[in-house]
Amino acid sequence: MALGSSIALAQSTTGSIFGQAPTAEGETVQAKSSSGVTREVTVGSDGRYTVGSLPLGTYTVSLVQGGKVVDTRADITLRVGSGTEVSFVSAGNATAATSLGSVTVSANTMPAIDVSSVDARTVITSQQLAKLPLARSAEAIALLAPGVVPGYSGFTSGTTGTSLVSFSGSSVTENAYYLNGFNTTDPLSGFGGISLPYGAIDQQEILSGGYGAAYGRSDGGVISQSGKRGTNEWHFGAQVLWTPAFARGTSPDSYYVTGAKDGDIYRRYSQNNSWETTESAYVGGPLIKDKLFFFAAVEGDKRSGNSIGPVTSSYNTQYQYNNPKWYAKVDWNINDNNILELTGASTKTSYKGNLYNYDYDTKQTSGLNSFDTSTKNSAQVSIAKYTSYITDDITLTAMYGKQKMTYFSQTPGYDPTLTYISGSEFENPDITGGNSIVNSQTVLTANNPNHRATSNNLRLDLSWKLGDHTITAGIDNLNSHDIDDGQTGSAWIYAFGDPNTPISGSPFVAAPGTGPGGQTGYYVSKYLYSTSASVRVKQRAQYIEDSWQVDDRWLVKVGLRNDQFTNYNPDAQAYLRMTKPQWAPRLGFSWDVHGDSTLKVYANAGRYYLAMPASVALRAAAGSLYTNEYYTYTGIDANGNPTGLTQLASATGGAVSANNEYGQAPDPKTVASSNIRSEYQDEYLLGFTQQINPDYIWGMKAQVRKLRNILDDICDTGTIANKAQALGYDIDPSTLNGCYLSNPGRVNTYRIVNPAGGYYSVDVTKDDFGMPHAKRSYYGLETFLEHPFDGTWQAKIDYVYSRSYGDSEGQVRSDIGQSDVSATVDWDFGKLMENSNGLLSNDRKHQLKIYGSWQVAPEWMLSGNIALLSGTPKTCLGYYGADESNPVGYGSYYHYCAGMPSAPGAAGRQPWQHIVSISAEYRPVWADKKLGFNVMIYNMLNESVATSTYALYGNSKALNTNYDRINYFSTPRYVRFGINYDF
């Protein structure tokens, strides 16, 4: 059998059919779907044919000779972005038959190996989703793919609230999300994207590497969902799911493990409980047979429960989440050559809670204390897509979509006279008697209730088949607007340190012992924080790719993409303009070794650029306020406020900001280095897939990723000022920005205002800053064995051995839970980067995944999903050097632990996770198998282990009692019961 070029356009919602047919004059191949789409193409003189850019669905493929159907293959189900081989001759016999003379109808027994692809993709179909025991989110589905692991538990999607995932060592913000071809990635920070109601997902495509030039703005992975569409038969159905409280396990309680509180309880999880119900329904069918189709789905999810807070905030919160979704799609087959698709989708999430007083000694809950901050977030998508099969060889696709998002929060009964109390465990016990004093204020930072955002995505793609070449080119334009985004916050932050050591060296803050009440090391700071902005981001891209069928066994794909990114400040002035050519070449091949699709060898190499989301402007370009004013104290009132305050000496005589964030808006021309470049990564794949026999497939894949450039902020303005003065420039160091967006590890050129007019240009090297070269490397080796579904059972075993190391996780930092995109603690000062090279937060040395299903009897289906994952590295962060000082004012954020160098991972690893989930479904014959009863047990072993621990050690003289206590546990067991009806 010969390879055929797979024509499946960017962020694809389509697939293709290719294959071999006997050569005869006027011979054609016709593909007709259950939704009325009909395409007919001519078989080439070499016996090959390709039907590209086909909407997903089930097809009947027929060989036509002399106007008569002579052979047919029925029930051909396409997979998104993939080619499906349908051949009408045997291998090596392309010209043997000139007329088959009769019609043969066969079931879908197509080869399981897609020899037309050169990337690393996993496609999960709606049939699999209906069977497998999974949490109902796009990320939970993505975890089935090799190299995809859970991200830091504290990082969740802003619109859906779901936990995020890491692809092959990349951070959780470096992924791209698509819905029916439209980019739904969160435009504010890259934290997730919206997804479909679970029952409306036709297929989810997970691209974990090697994707073509049509894809961009991601150096992690791609999660692309294709929604269901109507067919020529009406179908409807409904489902109810119930996860009761009595069948839900709890995580262990969390305890302090260091310092004076070693062994004391920190947080009680054993009294937490929750229940969840999900109701969904769908309907789809023809409005006009073969011409106009409709599909719609709705889903309502409600979760209620309670959560016991830590001893430092001892409330029992009674909460409720409501998460409705809807999806609708209209498909219009205008004629055989033109198709119009209209899609609408919406997802909302709302939260409200009441805080009741809780006594840790008696384990009793008493009266209402206050109301928690309520939130209402939503995202709504509208998409129009037009496909024109101009000729058999030329296909044009145009898509335009828009996304509207809202973010609303308020705190009922909010009392602005009360200040949030933080670090109450560090209140002076000589004053409190060892019992923390707090108040009912639960709001540390308040969001702007008018916050909203929009984004729109325009794509034009043209595919042209020229002999053995299929050339595809297009544009990919994305605009986003973040409106009234911002937070304000204030707090009293209690702390404890060495009474004789300055709290900070730069900016200088005197030692606690210099003030009354600080002789034992206790002090407090007044924290103020404020950001506010409306900003825009413009992203443009052009690409071209050639899929070249060199001969009947070799396919080569050569592509080139060029991205341009521009970020604007609140005054619509560009502060980041990365519009010079950012060439991203892609090269891959597929070798059908035996010519019969039983052994494929493939490889891929590519470069991938990452854009900067809108939220970067809030602290980099919009004039943020972030200060602390330090005091000693001699008393604490009933609301937790310090009394008897004495201000400690500081560099400013008052409040200080480690990053010079005093609320001033920077000159947009000085926000970033003038020679700044986007973050980008190079990736290399080499693998093979082999069909051992008709029942089994196995394969291996090696993957290497190298981060070549990173974009983050550098805040060492002292070094920049010294370099400028060494060059003879007359500057005032106090006029410099607090931080500068830069390419750490490279030479950066900074613009500094010349008092006489214009700007000075100052080149500063990594050696000037005392910084290492930026590095993130990933190596992975995958081995898998699969048994495709044969009507009775299906299973896949996948093992990945990998290593992710370097000195930068990426745009965010998981070990300390820092979500400030490209404004992390990393790279702010050279001393923070000493000993920073080690195992990165998303490193999972071993990943074993096993999932499958078994049709035990006509009425019974059993399924399982097992994930065995080694633990992530632990980090110990303390004060600087052997003398445990604080030279740049960051406190316990240096890569030293008890005065000794401590690289990431040197503190050990979190424990392994062993997640075993099973499900069973009963579809009785007496209900014609349209009625189903099912039960799923997630994590049936009820193993709940630490996924994150507190990384800040403090110093030997003032140990942080929080160090190494558990922040997050893995999800304990829960049982979900369901009833569904499909007609």
Side-chain angles (χ1 to χ4, degrees):
M1 297 182 185
L3 287 173
S5 298
S6 173
I7 308 173
L9 299 180
Q11 294 78 50
S12 186
T13 57
T14 64
S16 64
I17 296 172
F18 67 92
Q20 188 82 15
T23 56
E25 186 175 351
E27 183 181 58
T28 62
V29 171
Q30 182 188 81
K32 185 172 183 178
S33 76
S34 57
S35 58
V37 174
T38 301
R39 292 286 314 283
E40 190 165 350
V41 298
T42 301
V43 177
S45 59
D46 56 0
R48 293 199 298 268
Y49 78 92
T50 300
V51 190
S53 300
L54 290 171
L56 298 181
T58 301
Y59 284 78
T60 297
V61 183
S62 302
L63 178 65
V64 180
Q65 292 181 353
K68 178 184 177 183
V69 174
V70 296
D71 201 359
T72 297
R73 304 286 189 267
D75 300 325
I76 307 299
T77 301
L78 300 192
R79 290 211 168 195
V80 62
S82 303
T84 300
E85 184 172 351
V86 181
S87 290
F88 296 92
V89 294
S90 302
N93 195 25
T95 60
T98 57
S99 177
L100 300 180
S102 62
V103 176
T104 303
V105 179
S106 64
N108 183 5
T109 56
M110 296 303 104
I113 299 175
D114 176 15
V115 293
S116 68
S117 65
V118 300
D119 51 35
R121 83 175 63 215
T122 302
V123 177
I124 304 298
T125 66
S126 58
Q127 291 82 4
Q128 292 173 289
L129 294 179
K131 301 170 186 174
L132 293 173
L134 296 169
R136 293 167 65 90
S137 71
E139 291 81 7
I141 301 169
L143 287 173
L144 295 173
V148 183
V149 299
Y152 169 65
S153 300
F155 291 154
T156 57
S157 169
T159 51
T160 65
T162 55
S163 297
L164 303 176
V165 295
S166 165
F167 281 73
S168 303
S170 299
S171 73
V172 298
T173 63
E174 299 172 30
N175 305 324
Y177 287 70
Y178 292 89
L179 191 162
N180 280 358
F182 172 74
N183 190 325
T184 68
T185 311
D186 175 21
L188 307 186
S189 61
F191 278 81
I194 79 165
S195 56
L196 293 167
Y198 201 76
I201 302 171
D202 184 21
Q203 297 183 25
Q204 178 166 312
E205 180 185 29
I206 307 134
L207 286 167
S208 52
Y211 35 93
Y215 285 85
R217 308 183 185 114
S218 163
D219 58 12
V222 174
I223 297 176
S224 180
Q225 290 188 340
S226 297
K228 292 180 179 178
R229 65 182 71 214
T231 65
N232 271 324
E233 293 183 358
W234 280 100
H235 292 275
F236 64 84
Q239 183 180 56
V240 177
L241 300 173
W242 176 45
T243 305
F246 70 81
R248 184 182 289 274
T250 60
S251 297
D253 295 337
S254 177
Y255 292 85
Y256 292 102
V257 295
T258 57
K261 296 187 178 182
D262 183 11
D264 293 349
I265 191 169
Y266 171 74
R267 186 163 189 174
R268 181 168 289 131
Y269 291 96
S270 54
Q271 288 185 269
N272 290 353
N273 227 328
S274 68
W275 59 268
E276 184 175 10
T277 58
T278 304
E279 300 167 338
S280 61
Y282 71 90
V283 61
L287 299 176
I288 302 174
K289 190 173 182 180
D290 287 335
K291 183 67 68 173
L292 189 63
F293 304 88
F294 173 76
F295 184 90
V298 294
E299 177 181 286
D301 179 79
K302 181 178 180 180
R303 179 160 57 95
S304 296
N306 78 288
S307 176
I308 307 296
V311 293
T312 55
S313 182
S314 54
Y315 305 112
N316 186 351
T317 302
Q318 307 284 341
Y319 62 83
Q320 179 176 301
Y321 287 93
N322 283 285
N323 306 304
K325 293 182 178 182
W326 63 262
Y327 164 78
K329 191 168 191 293
V330 174
D331 294 88
W332 179 20
N333 300 334
I334 302 170
N335 51 44
D336 286 349
N337 296 321
N338 296 279
I339 299 172
L340 179 64
E341 304 172 51
L342 302 176
T343 300
S346 171
T347 181
K348 296 181 180 180
T349 178
S350 63
Y351 166 85
K352 62 180 180 180
N354 299 330
L355 278 67
Y356 295 87
N357 294 316
Y358 178 80
D359 190 312
Y360 258 84
D361 293 328
T362 64
K363 302 182 181 180
Q364 297 298 310
T365 299
S366 54
L368 177 69
N369 180 282
S370 57
F371 298 99
D372 205 354
T373 299
S374 299
T375 61
K376 293 181 179 180
N377 298 336
S378 69
Q380 185 168 317
V381 168
S382 302
I383 311 166
K385 180 183 177 183
Y386 170 70
T387 303
S388 177
Y389 305 109
I390 299 172
T391 69
D392 287 351
D393 298 325
I394 302 177
T395 301
L396 173 68
T397 301
M399 186 213 70
Y400 179 80
K402 189 167 186 177
Q403 180 174 215
K404 296 181 179 179
M405 310 170 80
T406 60
Y407 309 86
F408 177 79
S409 65
Q410 66 175 4
T411 305
Y414 170 71
D415 186 352
T417 66
L418 295 177
T419 303
Y420 186 87
I421 304 301
S422 179
S424 60
E425 65 267 40
F426 298 114
E427 293 174 344
N428 190 336
D430 293 336
I431 298 173
T432 65
N435 297 314
S436 297
I437 303 175
V438 296
N439 58 53
S440 60
Q441 181 59 271
T442 61
V443 179
L444 172 60
T445 57
N447 298 319
N448 188 331
N450 298 316
H451 184 201
R452 60 197 188 279
T454 63
S455 65
N456 59 71
N457 187 194
L458 170 67
R459 290 202 61 102
L460 294 174
D461 302 279
L462 181 68
S463 180
W464 192 356
K465 191 175 186 302
L466 292 169
D468 294 329
H469 298 265
T470 301
I471 299 173
T472 307
I475 63 171
D476 178 9
N477 295 343
L478 183 66
N479 301 296
S480 60
H481 189 193
D482 186 15
I483 306 165
D484 292 333
D485 192 356
Q487 292 182 324
T488 57
S490 65
W492 285 110
I493 303 176
Y494 288 93
F496 171 64
D498 180 6
N500 301 313
T501 300
I503 293 172
S504 172
S506 176
F508 173 76
V509 179
T514 61
Q519 294 84 356
T520 54
Y522 290 93
Y523 62 95
V524 69
S525 68
K526 184 59 180 279
Y527 159 86
L528 295 176
Y529 179 78
S530 178
T531 59
S532 180
S534 293
V535 296
R536 294 180 181 271
V537 177
K538 182 171 71 175
Q539 300 169 7
R540 299 290 182 264
Q542 308 81 38
Y543 79 93
I544 187 169
E545 186 171 76
D546 180 15
S547 182
W548 178 24
Q549 191 69 58
V550 181
D551 58 27
D552 59 357
R553 299 190 182 191
W554 284 89
L555 174 69
V556 175
K557 290 192 176 184
V558 182
L560 185 65
R561 182 182 177 94
N562 181 27
D563 282 288
Q564 303 95 44
F565 309 137
T566 308
N567 292 54
Y568 297 91
N569 71 3
D571 297 320
Q573 298 170 309
Y575 68 92
L576 269 180
R577 192 185 297 275
M578 294 172 287
T579 55
K580 293 181 180 179
Q582 298 185 128
W583 301 117
R586 315 284 167 84
L587 174 64
F589 75 80
S590 173
W591 176 29
D592 184 3
V593 178
H594 303 305
D596 59 1
S597 299
T598 60
L599 174 59
K600 173 179 116 173
V601 177
Y602 64 99
N604 198 298
R607 174 164 291 180
Y608 302 86
Y609 282 88
L610 187 66
M612 298 294 289
S615 65
V616 176
L618 296 182
R619 292 185 63 184
S624 58
L625 176 71
Y626 189 174
T627 62
N628 284 276
E629 194 165 3
Y630 293 86
Y631 302 87
T632 57
Y633 58 96
T634 57
I636 300 176
D637 69 17
N639 287 320
N641 299 309
T643 60
L645 294 172
T646 300
Q647 188 178 79
L648 293 171
S650 71
T652 64
V656 298
S657 173
N659 295 335
N660 281 342
E661 293 180 73
Y662 294 102
Q664 72 280 14
D667 182 340
K669 293 183 179 180
T670 67
V671 168
S673 63
S674 58
N675 59 339
I676 198 165
R677 299 177 65 190
S678 300
E679 178 175 322
Y680 69 91
Q681 177 174 269
D682 289 340
E683 180 186 64
Y684 310 93
L685 297 178
L686 176 63
F688 73 87
T689 306
Q690 183 179 24
Q691 184 174 335
I692 302 172
N693 57 43
D695 295 325
Y696 290 93
I697 299 168
W698 84 294
M700 299 181 73
K701 179 183 88 252
Q703 184 177 22
V704 176
R705 287 182 163 185
K706 294 283 187 179
L707 190 65
R708 301 300 188 187
N709 194 53
I710 191 169
L711 199 160
D712 209 311
D713 61 347
I714 292 178
C715 306
D716 188 359
T717 55
T719 293
I720 298 173
N722 292 338
K723 190 68 178 288
Q725 291 167 346
L727 293 171
Y729 299 150
D730 179 21
I731 67 165
D732 180 359
S734 66
T735 63
L736 298 182
N737 299 343
C739 300
Y740 292 85
L741 292 175
S742 309
N743 293 137
R746 295 182 179 271
V747 177
N748 287 274
T749 301
Y750 300 104
R751 294 189 186 97
I752 300 176
V753 174
N754 182 344
Y759 302 89
Y760 295 120
S761 288
V762 180
D763 292 338
V764 187
T765 68
K766 67 181 181 66
D767 294 330
D768 292 331
F769 284 124
M771 291 182 179
H773 181 71
K775 178 170 65 175
R776 185 181 76 192
S777 298
Y778 173 86
Y779 299 90
L781 179 63
E782 176 202 4
T783 305
F784 76 90
L785 175 66
E786 182 175 10
H787 181 282
F789 190 68
D790 60 0
T792 302
W793 69 286
Q794 177 271 333
K796 185 174 183 179
I797 303 173
D798 196 291
Y799 170 72
V800 175
Y801 176 86
S802 65
R803 186 167 184 256
S804 180
Y805 68 93
D807 50 29
S808 179
E809 177 185 347
Q811 290 186 327
V812 294
R813 188 164 166 184
S814 297
D815 59 351
I816 57 174
Q818 188 173 16
S819 59
D820 298 311
V821 176
S822 292
T824 66
V825 171
D826 285 345
W827 308 108
D828 285 3
F829 291 88
K831 287 182 169 56
L832 295 169
M833 298 306 295
E834 290 183 19
N835 311 307
S836 59
N837 185 36
L839 295 173
L840 297 175
S841 294
N842 295 310
D843 177 71
R844 300 269 189 171
K845 189 174 182 179
H846 303 285
Q847 305 162 41
L848 177 63
K849 302 177 182 181
I850 306 171
Y851 62 89
S853 55
W854 176 28
Q855 191 76 52
V856 181
E859 297 179 326
W860 285 93
M861 171 72 75
L862 299 180
S863 300
N865 182 23
I866 300 172
L868 308 180
L869 308 173
S870 59
T872 56
K874 296 171 68 174
T875 301
C876 179
L877 300 170
Y879 281 76
Y880 180 78
D883 59 351
E884 299 182 82
S885 61
N886 187 16
V888 298
Y890 274 51
S892 186
Y893 282 92
Y894 304 91
H895 290 281
Y896 287 86
C897 192
M900 299 296 293
S902 180
R909 283 186 178 269
Q910 306 296 351
W912 275 68
Q913 290 179 246
H914 311 86
I915 306 170
V916 180
S917 305
I918 61 172
S919 63
E921 183 179 55
Y922 170 59
R923 285 189 171 269
V925 173
W926 53 261
D928 199 24
K929 295 188 178 182
K930 295 176 180 177
L931 179 66
F933 303 90
N934 56 76
V935 60
M936 184 199 82
I937 306 175
Y938 176 85
N939 187 11
M940 63 182 295
L941 302 179
N942 198 25
E943 177 189 83
S944 184
V945 298
T947 62
S948 169
T949 49
Y950 196 82
L952 305 185
Y953 177 83
N955 63 52
S956 301
K957 298 178 182 178
L959 187 68
N960 190 327
T961 58
N962 287 305
Y963 174 66
D964 208 30
R965 68 166 171 77
I966 298 174
N967 291 326
Y968 292 99
F969 288 92
S970 58
T971 304
R973 181 195 62 238
Y974 63 86
V975 182
R976 188 174 70 204
F977 300 93
I979 301 175
N980 57 286
Y981 183 81
D982 300 280
F983 179 79

